[in-house]
Amino acid sequence: MSITMDTTLASLVTNKRRVSALKSLGIVTVGDALTYYPFRVTEPVPLRAIREAAPGQQMAFAAVIRDMRVVPMNARRGYRLEATVDDADFARSCRVPGSTARLTFFSYRKSYVDWVSMRLRAGTSVVVSGMPSEYMGQLQFTHPEILTVAPGSAGTGAGLEGYARGAASGNGAFAGSTDPYASAQSAYPPAAAAPSGAALKYDADTVQEALTRVCRPRPVYHASSRISSEHIHETILGLLWMMGARTSSTPDGQLAGAGSADIVAPTTDTIAVQNGEEKSGTTAESGAEALSQSIPDVLPESVRKAKNLMHRAEAFLAIHDPASTARFKEAIETLRYEEAFVSQTSLLKARSHAHKSAAHSCPLVTDSLRDQFIASLPFSLTAGQQQVIHDIAADLAHDWPMQRLLQGEVGSGKTVVALAAMLQAVDAGYQAVLVAPTQVLAEQHAETIGRMVEQLKPAIPVTLLTGGMKLAARRKALAAAASGEPGIIVATHAAFSKTFQAPHLALVVIDEQHRFGVEQRESLNAKTDDGTTPHLLVMTATPIPRTAAMTWFGDLDISWLTELPGGRKPIRTVVVNEADAATMGRMFAHIRARVDAGERAYIVCPRIDADDEENEGGSGVSSAAGSARGRAAASGSSARTAAGGRATRAAADAIGIDDPYETFDENGETVARPPLHAVSEIADRLQKLPQFQGIRFATLTGRDKDDVKTQVMADFAGGETPILVSTTVIEVGVDVKQASCIVIFDADRYGLSQLHQLRGRVGRGGTNSWAFLISRAEPGSPAEQRLEVIHHSLDGAEIAQADLEFRGAGDVLGDAQSGGKSSLKLLRVVKDADMIADARTRAEQLLAADPELAGEVQLAGAVLDFTRGNETFLTSS
């Protein structure tokens, strides 16, 4: 069986528990494993004799076990195992006297102690790596890493002078020669023979091999309680071995060669060795060739050579088994450039494809509906609105489809711009569809648009179509759309259903487009009878830094609305420590005063029920620019459960919060955090406070039915329930002008862009407004630093840039909000701007010469995979 990137781990890894643990991290195939990149790499461990040890400084040495004993710890329960090691021979090669040290292990499990005892028999040669300390006047290593060396491997070389040179320089094995182990051999006597019948397994065949393994830099992976970083590393190395790798990457850029360190063959209890695949039957050279065949290069050879990059197979090898930290970084840069090149090629192909399609031309006419509408407005358009309307008018006049992204802050007037565009399409005799992410928002749009166009001549039909409509009303709306009569249709996801037909559709406007994937958008193209592609205008209130937008939305023309209409007052943002009871009390008293003055307040929580780990939170999706990295677990990030444990993908989508800032300790283990607050819990607590006596509360979550949501919002807007406790379902499209206060619990766990979106729910009526961010972040922590950004800035682009820098491009601009898999794992929009620009230039040159990538089969496949795996990425935030 030949192994490829698509081969499932279940067919290769014999340990089914490990297969299950890897699957929980999103690792299902060989490709998933090889692209599960470590988050850091350890520094090389220096070689030092025991006499050269310095407490608190990592070191490695070779020694022989002199004696070993197990001591029961009666007072504390459990056992203490102590082994004395002697490094006389190793120390002699370092030109220092030999010495002894104690290795100490503690455990409550007798089985563990018995296992260690079996390995550390007197006379066994071992290689030790750890951090020394002093206990009762003797040097001690507590729970060091131990590799046992098979007996009979000694005495054929010139000693350990190579190691001694490295040790003397302070850089251990990595000083001087690129391969300090090449000539070094063990000078140790064979270990005592194992008792008859004992099936002892040794970790290494020679001291040289063991020292190589413990001293080399090692990658550290995001792990979980089910699988450690070491076991992840072991599995990936086993897969590389099975694919043909026999030696690690070397500094000269070859996949194998003289001086490389051997990759240890996997044991049959870890990896299922294929029939005919012998551990010693493949040479390094043929193994390297096999690896490059199993992992073909994606980048064109000309690009790779021009940029002096590694082969893809070599890069994977250098990341997961690095010869040096420099080699590791070089490999990361190679795969980072590959991501840039593939993504830019995808964008350029998407743009080229769009320009080849046909669309209805919608030129402006004399005394147009658009001009009537603008003249009827009770306010003057901002300069930005006028410019964008002009640009869109020019786009609509073409006979190829417009593809434009309109980015603007909440309240910047995007709806007016969109309506002007739709009226231009209607004036030309066609239909226009505005797609909104929620029924509440669709109803608001339909009401607003209907009111704005009611004075226009001739009359403009405005049709509302939502999934929550009664059957008779829905049939009437579908019939109106199917008639092909020029008009405006406002719809939710119902516009993507098979029953919806709009034969004369010329323009599609998608509001808060991160809620919709490319497949849904493409389904609207099939609604026309004549095979034309509708013009497309996608809008977002989610701030995207200009550099990021230019980078990622290269298949779209981009417009910004930066001016806010007059009358809007800045929102005062206050960060409140939840433990500060006095400040919390004053905040609630302030909210009561605003409610008594006829205003409204939102209370936002990330969960629905505190005791429901699989509940449906918020609107079932995260924010526009804030979801855990595409396929969160696959990048080591996942949402947290209420108990602070690791959640499933379904639970991650269910929590209304986007929780991209999950923290890890130095070993890649997730750090438990306090449980997230829930709507039911907070609503119950607040209603019992004296500040809110006599005030009616309402709750709103993504679990509520559409008609319930509509009624709740009507009661809130009307003042019957002036305080609304909700999930992030209010994040977009809720427009209650009397709302002046918003309280966001667990604010330190949200993305900055999502906080900015939520904050935009208040201050829409010209009144003074406040946003209170409730935090449990530790003083001086990164979470506190993030909140300081939102505290001091109302500039959406500045906030988004900070979000990018805190989180990385894949988190902010990937499509995890739809539960999909993002192909971006290494690329950073802000820091890698120059790299992305270079990749775009080279991709343009390649596509100019080979538009269909006929000569670059692997790149064409990667582009297709990228497009499929990033459906919302290409045309969304």
Side-chain angles (χ1 to χ4, degrees):
M1 165 182 148
S2 60
I3 300 175
T4 68
M5 298 286 278
D6 295 323
T7 303
T8 61
L9 294 189
S11 65
L12 298 175
V13 179
T14 55
N15 186 329
K16 299 310 174 188
R17 286 187 178 180
R18 185 172 295 189
V19 171
S20 176
L22 290 168
K23 186 176 180 180
S24 71
L25 295 176
I27 304 173
V28 178
T29 66
V30 171
D32 294 334
L34 295 186
T35 57
Y36 192 80
Y37 300 120
F39 68 94
R40 69 182 178 91
V41 65
T42 63
E43 292 296 324
V45 178
L47 286 166
R48 296 192 182 116
I50 293 176
R51 194 171 289 272
E52 298 172 312
Q57 295 183 15
Q58 192 83 7
M59 62 175 283
F61 61 93
V64 174
I65 304 292
R66 291 307 181 204
D67 60 69
M68 183 271 298
R69 63 174 183 152
V70 177
V71 182
M73 297 186 297
N74 296 324
R76 298 173 54 192
R77 295 181 300 156
Y79 305 88
R80 182 178 77 252
L81 184 149
E82 296 179 347
T84 303
V85 293
D86 178 356
D87 75 337
D89 294 309
F90 178 79
R92 188 180 308 116
S93 70
C94 297
R95 297 182 176 84
V96 296
S99 187
T100 61
R102 182 167 53 207
L103 313 181
T104 306
F105 301 85
F106 300 92
S107 181
Y108 291 109
R109 292 165 44 208
K110 184 67 165 59
S111 59
Y112 172 77
V113 173
D114 290 342
W115 176 73
V116 176
S117 300
M118 182 182 68
R119 299 180 72 225
L120 303 187
R121 296 178 181 276
T124 301
S125 294
V126 294
V127 166
V128 181
S129 174
M131 192 171 293
S133 60
E134 191 172 328
Y135 179 71
M136 297 183 66
Q138 186 174 1
L139 198 67
Q140 174 175 280
F141 292 82
T142 305
H143 285 277
E145 179 182 1
I146 302 288
L147 294 184
T148 58
V149 181
S153 62
T156 59
L160 294 167
E161 288 79 2
Y163 297 115
R165 286 194 300 272
S169 72
N171 293 318
F174 294 86
S177 168
T178 56
D179 180 35
Y181 305 110
S183 62
Q185 300 291 335
S186 171
Y188 291 98
S196 176
L200 292 180
K201 290 184 178 180
Y202 294 94
D203 299 313
D205 293 331
T206 64
V207 172
Q208 173 190 342
E209 177 190 324
L211 283 168
T212 300
R213 287 169 57 186
V214 301
C215 291
R216 288 167 63 83
R218 276 178 293 177
V220 182
Y221 303 82
H222 287 314
S224 71
S225 59
R226 297 180 60 188
I227 186 169
S228 67
S229 173
E230 283 294 327
H231 283 157
I232 294 171
H233 188 212
E234 176 186 74
T235 303
I236 294 174
L237 288 184
L239 295 172
L240 287 168
W241 192 93
M242 287 298 299
M243 296 178 83
R246 294 297 182 269
T247 59
S248 64
S249 63
T250 57
D252 62 3
Q254 302 301 314
L255 280 169
S260 298
D262 290 338
I263 291 181
V264 179
T267 59
T268 54
D269 58 355
T270 302
I271 299 289
V273 178
Q274 307 300 309
N275 292 333
E277 181 80 45
E278 299 296 335
K279 293 184 179 181
S280 59
T282 307
T283 66
E285 289 74 13
S286 62
E289 183 180 346
L291 184 63
S292 61
Q293 290 175 352
S294 300
I295 309 174
D297 217 345
V298 168
L299 288 174
E301 185 70 9
S302 59
V303 173
R304 187 172 73 83
K305 287 184 176 179
K307 298 294 294 181
N308 194 27
L309 301 174
M310 297 180 181
H311 187 282
R312 192 178 200 221
E314 169 71 356
F316 280 138
L317 203 51
I319 285 174
H320 297 296
D321 189 36
S324 66
T325 53
R327 193 71 176 149
F328 174 86
K329 293 175 183 176
E330 185 181 345
I332 290 289
E333 286 301 296
T334 290
L335 293 179
R336 185 171 284 148
Y337 190 89
E338 178 187 291
E339 285 188 359
F341 195 87
V342 170
S343 64
Q344 293 308 300
T345 304
S346 299
L347 290 167
L348 290 167
K349 280 184 67 66
R351 188 180 185 91
S352 172
H353 176 74
H355 281 190
K356 292 177 182 177
S357 303
H360 291 298
S361 175
C362 303
L364 274 176
V365 297
T366 306
D367 192 28
S368 65
L369 290 171
R370 189 203 75 169
D371 292 342
Q372 288 183 47
F373 161 65
I374 293 174
S376 71
L377 292 173
F379 53 83
S380 299
L381 297 179
T382 65
Q385 287 175 311
Q386 293 177 26
Q387 182 61 50
V388 174
I389 289 174
H390 175 76
D391 292 342
I392 291 175
D395 288 347
L396 292 176
H398 295 147
D399 58 2
W400 64 82
M402 169 182 73
Q403 287 194 298
R404 184 171 291 275
L405 170 68
L406 175 57
Q407 177 180 320
E409 292 279 0
V410 171
S412 60
K414 296 187 298 297
T415 304
V416 170
V417 172
L419 182 50
M422 289 190 287
L423 289 173
Q424 184 172 336
V426 172
D427 226 358
Y430 300 110
Q431 295 169 295
V433 173
L434 170 61
V435 187
T438 67
Q439 177 166 328
V440 170
L441 184 54
E443 290 172 348
Q444 288 183 355
H445 275 316
E447 181 184 352
T448 301
I449 291 172
R451 192 168 59 248
M452 285 180 160
V453 302
E454 63 184 358
Q455 301 299 326
L456 302 183
K457 301 297 181 183
I460 308 298
V462 178
T463 304
L464 175 65
L465 175 64
T466 70
M469 298 173 69
K470 291 183 179 179
L471 183 58
R474 181 180 172 85
R475 284 178 173 171
K476 184 178 180 181
L478 288 171
S483 71
E485 179 187 0
I488 295 172
I489 303 161
V490 181
T492 56
H493 288 74
F496 305 122
S497 70
K498 293 181 179 178
T499 56
F500 174 71
Q501 295 296 326
H504 294 157
L505 183 60
L507 172 63
V508 175
V509 180
I510 296 183
D511 192 16
E512 296 302 335
Q513 85 293 351
H514 58 280
R515 309 291 184 174
F516 308 105
V518 165
E519 285 184 351
Q520 290 177 313
R521 190 200 74 201
E522 290 296 328
S523 72
L524 291 174
N525 292 344
K527 307 300 183 184
T528 58
D529 285 344
D530 51 14
T532 57
T533 299
H535 297 282
L536 176 68
L537 175 65
V538 291
M539 304 192 297
T540 180
T542 303
I544 309 166
R546 187 172 294 260
T547 54
M550 296 300 292
T551 297
W552 293 127
F553 306 110
D555 61 329
L556 303 177
D557 296 306
I558 306 172
S559 298
W560 280 270
L561 290 177
T562 56
E563 303 169 68
L564 292 181
R568 293 292 298 270
K569 295 184 178 179
I571 302 169
R572 305 176 195 178
T573 305
V574 183
V575 179
V576 181
N577 189 319
E578 190 173 340
D580 186 350
T583 303
M584 293 284 287
R586 290 197 302 273
M587 176 188 72
F588 290 134
H590 172 80
I591 293 172
R592 174 59 188 264
R594 302 321 307 164
V595 168
D596 288 343
E599 296 170 11
R600 315 280 186 271
Y602 298 105
I603 311 289
V604 179
C605 306
R607 297 186 65 82
I608 296 176
D609 297 317
D611 58 350
D612 184 1
E613 293 197 3
E614 293 294 330
N615 65 29
E616 201 183 315
S619 58
V621 290
S622 298
S623 80
S627 290
R629 189 175 192 126
R631 203 162 170 185
S635 67
S637 173
S638 67
R640 307 295 298 174
T641 63
R646 203 171 260 280
T648 63
R649 176 71 258 175
D653 286 341
I655 297 173
I657 194 174
D658 66 316
D659 193 10
Y661 301 117
E662 187 172 32
T663 53
F664 302 88
D665 62 21
E666 62 179 8
N667 294 318
E669 297 282 352
T670 53
V671 177
R673 294 185 290 178
L676 297 167
H677 288 298
V679 168
S680 55
E681 163 214 352
I682 292 297
D684 184 60
R685 283 171 51 185
L686 294 186
Q687 290 180 81
K688 296 176 181 177
L689 292 178
Q691 292 95 326
F692 297 122
Q693 290 301 306
I695 297 294
R696 289 186 60 193
F697 280 68
T699 61
L700 183 67
T701 72
R703 186 182 292 166
D704 296 327
K705 294 182 178 179
D706 284 338
D707 57 343
V708 173
K709 291 179 184 176
T710 300
Q711 186 60 51
V712 167
M713 289 307 303
D715 291 344
F716 177 65
E720 293 182 38
T721 52
I723 297 181
L724 179 63
V725 185
S726 78
T727 57
T728 53
V729 70
I730 66 158
E731 183 183 340
V732 295
V734 174
D735 188 3
V736 178
K737 299 194 182 306
Q738 299 93 335
S740 63
C741 295
I742 184 167
V743 178
I744 305 172
F745 280 90
D746 295 306
D748 52 302
R749 306 276 285 274
Y750 288 77
L752 296 184
S753 293
Q754 192 175 26
L755 288 175
H756 184 62
Q757 275 280 86
L758 289 167
R759 179 170 61 179
R761 295 306 101 201
V762 298
R764 304 169 73 86
T767 60
N768 291 323
S769 53
W770 294 262
F772 298 98
L773 310 181
I774 312 303
S775 168
R776 288 181 281 186
E778 295 292 329
S781 66
E784 186 182 62
Q785 295 171 23
R786 290 193 300 270
L787 290 182
E788 283 303 301
V789 172
I790 203 87
H791 177 208
H792 292 293
S793 178
L794 292 171
D795 185 331
E798 179 183 329
I799 290 167
Q801 178 126 348
D803 217 5
L804 279 172
E805 291 169 354
F806 275 121
R807 300 165 55 179
D811 293 331
V812 179
L813 300 180
D815 71 335
Q817 62 270 16
S818 62
K821 175 184 176 182
S822 172
S823 300
L824 290 174
K825 296 183 178 180
L826 298 173
L827 202 58
R828 306 159 302 184
V829 168
V830 177
K831 294 181 180 178
D832 296 329
D834 292 342
M835 175 187 290
I836 294 165
D838 180 89
R840 188 176 185 85
T841 299
R842 294 179 188 275
E844 286 174 341
Q845 295 170 352
L846 176 67
L847 290 172
D850 186 3
E852 299 304 320
L853 299 178
E856 299 292 345
V857 178
Q858 296 300 327
L859 176 61
V863 166
L864 184 60
D865 289 343
F866 179 87
T867 305
R868 287 173 175 170
N870 294 272
E871 289 166 354
T872 62
F873 169 84
L874 289 176
T875 55
S876 77
S877 56

